[in-house]
Amino acid sequence: MTPPTHLRNLLLPLCTGAASLALTGVLWHHEQQGLDATLRADFDVSVRQTAGRIEQRVAAYEQMLRAARGLFDASEDVSQEDFRKFVDALTGGTELAGLQAMLFTPRLSGAQVARHVATRRALGDPGYRIRPPGERDVVGPVTYVAPASPDNRKALGHDILTDPARRDAMFQARDSGGIAITPRINLLMDRPANRPAFAMYLATYARGRPIDTLAARQAHLNGWVHIAFRLHDLMASLYGEDTPGIALRIYDGVRTDAASLIFDSHPGDDPAPPRFTATEYISFPQSNWTLQIRSIPAFELRRDRGSATIIAIAGTCVSLLLALLMHQLVTGRARAYAHALTMTRELRESEERMRHMAQHDALTLLPNRALLADRLHAALALARRDKTRSGLMFVDLDHFKPVNDIHGHAIGDRLLLAATARMRDCLRESDTLARMGGDEFVVLLPHIDSQADAQLVAERIRSAIALPFTIDQHNLQISTSIGIGIYPDDASTPEGLTICADDAMYRAKDAGRNRLVFASET
Amino acid sequence: MRALLLALLLAGGGAQAAERPDCSRPLSLALHDHGLLYSRQTGEGIDKDFADELIRRSGCRITVTVLPRARIWQLIESGGLDFSLSGISNEQRERFAAFAWYFSNKYYLLVRRDAGVQRVGDFIRNPQLRLGAIRSFRYGPGANRLVDALDSDMRVSYASGLAPLYATLLANQTQGMIIEPFDYPALESAAIRGQTHILEFDDPPVPHGLIMSKRAIAPQEQARWRALVDEMRADGTVERIFDKYFKPELSQALTRF
């Protein structure tokens, strides 16, 4: 069973539109996936770069510490001035912002403390003292600090072994021979401010002594070179004020709670869920940092050129246009056919109208002279063949002209129509009533048996017209003068019959009107 | 008996390549902090011992540093570092690194008991589970598939070293991690043993070896270093190093492959 035409006409455009929309969907999806993949890859790079930069900065700090250890390995007696010059040389021209201070702390036994204090005082620091006071077996007082700014100098004399967090890292550094980083601490120079900061230690050992075993490293410990840095300074030195396209939080340890938060690039800014998040752990000896990295809207905006949206909008528009075009194509033939039919019908009607106009009188719509001539020929040919009679009557309306003159053509025309109607009522279907023009009419009776038939019809017409007409409350009185010719009695040709009937009509007029006269009458 | 045969076979190869590596310039070797391979806390480990022996035998001056594994691979690729240890190969690494194998081991999935993971596939199926992994680490084919699938779902938290992975596992921030036999001592901690269990991948043991940067070490030199490593295997040195850290059966399983 085939669906109805209008359904078929809809189906193809709908399918085309749907296919085009589906293709648009596939393209959009592909573009979206491509964008997702690019974004994801970019995000991964950002994550690795972020973690990598921090690790490399810490590695650079480690290199500085190792260089400082080299200084102590190279010289038996490193003075405060040597240390300061060394640190100046080390940091001069390098991009190591974020570093607060580089320090040296000797490991002293309780017995060495008094001499140590005396030496420091003798070397130009009369106020030098060990803090906190009190007797301890092992003391680690900060002895050198560079740069020696007033803030940094506050650290001098602090026995940092009394702080458990620092002590653990210092012993860790001593035991491993490598670096150790404290968990979050407050810098001595920051007190009482509470800015997240860290210290990184590397042990120095007695010159020339083996340090290849744990016991040897513990036995030959000389002290520590260490650096202090604030995390915000470190991050600012890596990125300036902002991180590109990402928000970064750093936690001390692996727990991501508020208490462990040590850096937040976008503090207080926790908008809609980010498109990408990643957690990355940076591992140091004895310490870990958790990096929580999330994309911010700027990250996507920088890369999203809106191509997926453009594809979606353009594809939908093209799909609709395609469906419309397909609809036009599918229905075009049917519409052209319907249009042709209409035009043909109009042409036929127009021809019909033209033919009618050529053969009929415009006012009464009665056949005109031309049509009458055709019918007269046909009627006489038939009568000739059947050997029957035909009658032709010329009917002239008497006193019609005065009606026109007195009441106007409009009334005259309506009188003509009314007279036509009355005459029509007197005729058979097969008879022809024609208007010759003005007030002249002709009646063709194609088939009569005798002159009496024609007389009967003519008399009916005469009587009908003789009755008064009421048109627009005007009582109008006219009559008819009728001349009758009979075929084949009066003439055997149409022309002959016409002439004799016309002649008979004039004779009727001459005889006083309102009468009928046969051509045969003399 | 098998060890003896292996020793004889490898000793033959070693004799042929008796020429020592070129030590005309100082060389660099990086260790990474990873369980028994090397511990920054103690300054000791299998790779440290291996490096010491390699330095002794070659007679070369080799600077040993400790770096994150991802950084090591970057430097090996760029030629900024000559050697590292305990590396495994893949198609990508073959382009820039040459290897001299000295042990082989399998990988395992260490997973929290409360994660409801009975088979490796269970881990992928549960979208709530996250894996902790060391950045740039590769494993056997099955473990690689797991890591790559989870990575594409952004379900992997990366770390530069092993230590934070245990901590995140205990804190239930990740629910699994991939381990090797060198990580066993950590498993002996009561907290980890009590909360985790171990699943095996269907992978054969993966050979590990000395990593040589193709940019830094010429092919002829690579052959000499490889011969040196083979010599260390053949004369039982490698196995003796492993014996310091593992029971004899396990060190045999790792070094005889």
Side-chain angles (χ1 to χ4, degrees):
Chain A
M1 208 168 95
T2 52
T5 308
H6 68 275
L7 268 186
R8 278 209 311 273
N9 289 348
L10 271 180
L11 203 61
L12 199 56
L14 281 179
C15 286
T16 309
S20 176
L21 272 178
L23 184 65
T24 302
V26 168
L27 285 176
W28 176 83
H29 185 64
H30 182 261
E31 180 64 23
Q32 200 68 43
Q33 273 194 325
L35 179 66
D36 274 352
T38 308
L39 283 175
R40 170 74 204 278
D42 282 1
F43 183 71
D44 281 349
V45 168
S46 293
V47 169
R48 280 203 298 277
Q49 275 182 349
T50 305
R53 281 180 179 186
I54 296 170
E55 280 173 342
Q56 283 175 26
R57 178 52 56 91
V58 172
Y61 289 167
E62 179 179 353
Q63 288 303 319
M64 292 174 72
L65 287 178
R66 289 189 181 277
R69 176 152 83 179
L71 175 71
F72 285 90
D73 284 347
S75 169
E76 188 67 55
D77 185 21
V78 178
S79 67
Q80 162 74 43
E81 189 57 15
D82 294 339
F83 190 73
R84 186 189 63 75
K85 284 181 179 169
F86 170 79
V87 174
D88 281 354
L90 197 61
T91 54
T94 55
E95 200 253 314
L96 283 167
L99 189 66
Q100 177 63 29
M102 189 167 215
L103 311 97
F104 171 69
T105 297
R107 179 236 181 247
L108 304 176
S109 65
Q112 292 173 301
V113 169
R115 193 175 159 214
H116 168 79
V117 171
T119 308
R120 297 312 310 153
R121 287 178 177 171
L123 287 172
D125 189 358
Y128 184 84
R129 58 191 174 86
I130 305 286
R131 288 165 291 168
E135 297 218 344
R136 292 180 288 278
D137 290 343
V138 180
V139 181
V142 174
T143 304
Y144 298 160
V145 63
S149 63
D151 268 357
N152 283 349
R153 287 180 62 81
K154 287 182 200 165
L156 291 173
H158 268 284
D159 177 6
I160 51 177
L161 281 171
T162 56
D163 172 21
R166 287 179 168 86
R167 186 178 58 231
D168 287 352
M170 291 164 85
F171 287 163
Q172 161 66 27
R174 174 199 65 188
D175 292 350
S176 69
I179 59 153
I181 296 181
T182 60
R184 172 189 179 157
I185 56 168
N186 291 328
L187 295 186
L188 299 169
M189 36 289 235
D190 275 351
R191 286 178 180 169
N194 188 25
R195 284 184 280 183
F198 296 85
M200 189 167 159
Y201 295 91
L202 186 71
T204 62
Y205 301 96
R207 291 179 73 208
R209 296 300 186 89
I211 52 167
D212 54 348
T213 64
L214 177 61
R217 289 190 287 271
Q218 288 178 346
H220 300 131
L221 177 73
N222 196 29
W224 294 268
V225 282
H226 46 117
I227 56 176
F229 59 94
R230 297 187 195 97
L231 194 57
H232 279 81
D233 295 341
L234 184 151
M235 295 307 295
S237 74
L238 290 180
Y239 288 108
E241 284 303 305
D242 202 2
T243 45
I246 58 165
L248 170 68
R249 282 184 185 146
I250 305 178
Y251 297 88
D252 186 23
V254 298
R255 295 204 172 270
T256 51
D257 47 32
S260 309
L261 184 67
I262 50 176
F263 177 78
D264 191 348
S265 68
H266 292 66
D269 171 26
D270 225 345
R275 180 146 181 187
F276 299 110
T277 56
T279 307
E280 186 99 5
Y281 303 99
I282 299 183
S283 165
F284 307 112
Q286 203 99 32
S287 174
N288 302 304
W289 288 352
T290 301
L291 272 53
Q292 214 175 55
I293 301 161
R294 61 184 201 277
S295 61
I296 55 179
F299 176 80
E300 291 172 42
L301 287 177
R302 269 196 328 193
R303 290 155 181 84
D304 189 356
R305 288 166 291 121
S307 45
T309 313
I310 291 170
I311 287 176
I313 294 172
T316 306
C317 291
V318 168
S319 302
L320 289 175
L321 285 175
L322 263 180
L324 199 64
L325 185 66
M326 187 54 71
H327 183 260
Q328 293 295 96
L329 281 174
V330 166
T331 56
R333 191 164 167 267
R335 281 181 297 110
Y337 183 67
H339 193 52
L341 274 184
T342 308
M343 284 178 70
T344 310
R345 192 181 64 241
E346 282 173 359
L347 189 62
R348 199 182 298 126
E349 284 171 359
S350 166
E351 280 178 357
E352 196 71 37
R353 219 165 31 247
M354 294 303 287
R355 191 161 51 242
H356 193 268
M357 278 167 70
Q359 294 182 334
H360 292 80
D361 168 53
L363 177 65
T364 59
L365 301 179
L366 292 175
N368 61 10
R369 189 186 300 272
L371 184 54
L372 179 72
D374 283 351
R375 292 196 182 169
L376 181 59
H377 270 97
L380 293 196
L382 200 62
R384 193 177 294 119
R385 194 193 71 189
D386 295 345
K387 296 188 175 19
T388 55
R389 285 188 164 77
S390 292
L392 188 69
M393 299 191 281
F394 267 63
V395 180
D396 193 84
L397 301 185
D398 305 326
H399 315 298
F400 179 72
K401 194 169 177 300
V403 174
N404 256 354
D405 294 343
I406 295 165
H407 299 290
H409 283 283
I411 298 292
D413 285 352
R414 288 174 64 184
L415 178 61
L416 277 176
L417 287 171
T420 301
R422 286 190 190 176
M423 283 192 276
R424 222 11 309 157
D425 288 345
C426 302
L427 298 175
R428 292 172 300 183
E429 192 77 20
S430 57
D431 301 338
T432 296
L433 173 63
R435 184 177 175 215
M436 295 295 102
D439 50 5
E440 267 187 36
F441 294 85
V442 173
V443 174
L444 169 64
L445 309 171
H447 182 80
I448 52 172
D449 291 331
S450 64
Q451 187 174 304
D453 288 351
Q455 186 175 4
L456 189 68
V457 173
E459 186 53 39
R460 257 198 324 246
I461 288 172
R462 192 199 61 78
S463 313
I465 298 299
L467 293 173
F469 289 88
T470 304
I471 302 217
D472 264 1
Q473 298 168 343
H474 300 292
N475 281 324
L476 302 173
Q477 186 72 53
I478 55 171
S479 61
T480 50
S481 300
I482 302 172
I484 307 162
I486 304 293
Y487 169 89
D489 306 339
D490 299 324
S492 59
T493 63
E495 293 79 17
L497 197 61
T498 303
I499 289 166
C500 68
D502 189 32
D503 184 56
M505 186 271 287
Y506 277 107
R507 276 190 278 144
K509 272 206 181 298
D510 288 347
R513 296 184 168 89
N514 194 21
R515 67 193 63 224
L516 40 107
V517 172
F518 280 94
S520 53
E521 289 174 30
T522 54
Chain B
M1 188 63 193
R2 202 177 143 201
L4 183 66
L5 265 175
L6 186 73
L8 286 171
L9 274 172
L10 293 174
Q16 277 172 7
E19 207 174 338
R20 286 296 178 230
D22 174 21
C23 298
S24 56
R25 68 173 175 94
L27 297 163
S28 55
L29 183 149
L31 304 174
H32 66 294
D33 188 355
H34 189 108
L36 290 175
L37 289 180
Y38 180 71
S39 159
R40 288 183 89 148
Q41 290 201 23
T42 62
E44 292 174 353
I46 294 170
D47 280 355
K48 175 75 167 50
D49 294 352
F50 190 94
D52 289 345
E53 181 63 17
L54 203 65
I55 292 165
R56 193 189 65 75
R57 288 196 185 210
S58 65
C60 295
R61 236 186 96 215
I62 301 181
T63 312
V64 179
T65 52
V66 184
L67 293 172
R69 198 50 155 171
R71 184 83 187 126
I72 289 177
W73 284 113
Q74 281 174 354
L75 290 171
I76 289 281
E77 184 171 7
S78 69
L81 178 69
D82 298 307
F83 301 109
S84 186
L85 294 170
S86 301
I88 70 169
S89 182
N90 62 24
E91 202 178 318
Q92 187 211 355
R93 290 175 180 176
E94 282 293 335
R95 290 204 290 272
F96 58 82
F99 297 87
W101 311 123
Y102 57 89
F103 72 93
S104 171
N105 71 253
K106 295 184 96 169
Y107 291 93
Y108 305 89
L109 179 65
L110 178 70
V111 63
R112 283 181 67 90
R113 285 181 196 277
D114 55 14
V117 174
Q118 299 307 319
R119 284 188 303 274
V120 172
D122 297 345
F123 201 97
I124 296 182
R125 279 190 286 275
N126 185 346
Q128 302 302 319
L129 302 184
R130 293 185 65 84
L131 188 80
I134 298 173
R135 193 168 275 290
S136 87
F137 258 43
R138 294 274 76 190
Y139 318 89
N144 283 340
R145 274 197 299 278
L146 174 75
V147 175
D148 293 343
L150 295 174
D151 180 67
S152 70
D153 288 347
M154 301 199 84
R155 286 168 58 195
V156 181
S157 295
Y158 287 102
S160 58
L162 198 60
L165 297 184
Y166 291 118
T168 56
L169 193 70
L170 287 175
N172 204 13
Q173 285 169 349
T174 57
Q175 287 71 39
M177 58 187 280
I178 293 168
I179 55 163
E180 298 175 75
F182 320 109
D183 309 325
Y184 289 170
L187 304 187
E188 285 162 13
S189 100
I192 292 179
R193 209 173 45 213
Q195 293 192 39
T196 59
H197 64 126
I198 292 175
L199 302 173
E200 195 171 332
F201 290 101
D202 292 333
D203 294 334
V206 179
H208 289 55
L210 169 73
I211 311 165
M212 297 175 273
S213 166
K214 284 186 175 172
R215 278 206 164 185
I217 310 288
Q220 190 190 359
E221 286 299 301
Q222 291 168 20
R224 289 175 180 167
W225 285 103
R226 201 171 282 118
L228 206 63
V229 171
D230 288 345
E231 208 179 284
M232 284 169 63
R233 286 188 65 203
D235 64 16
T237 307
V238 172
E239 196 171 320
R240 273 196 298 282
I241 291 174
F242 276 71
D243 281 342
K244 268 177 70 181
Y245 300 92
F246 295 111
K247 290 177 185 158
E249 310 83 61
L250 184 53
S251 65
Q252 277 181 23
L254 291 169
T255 56
R256 298 182 188 184
F257 59 94

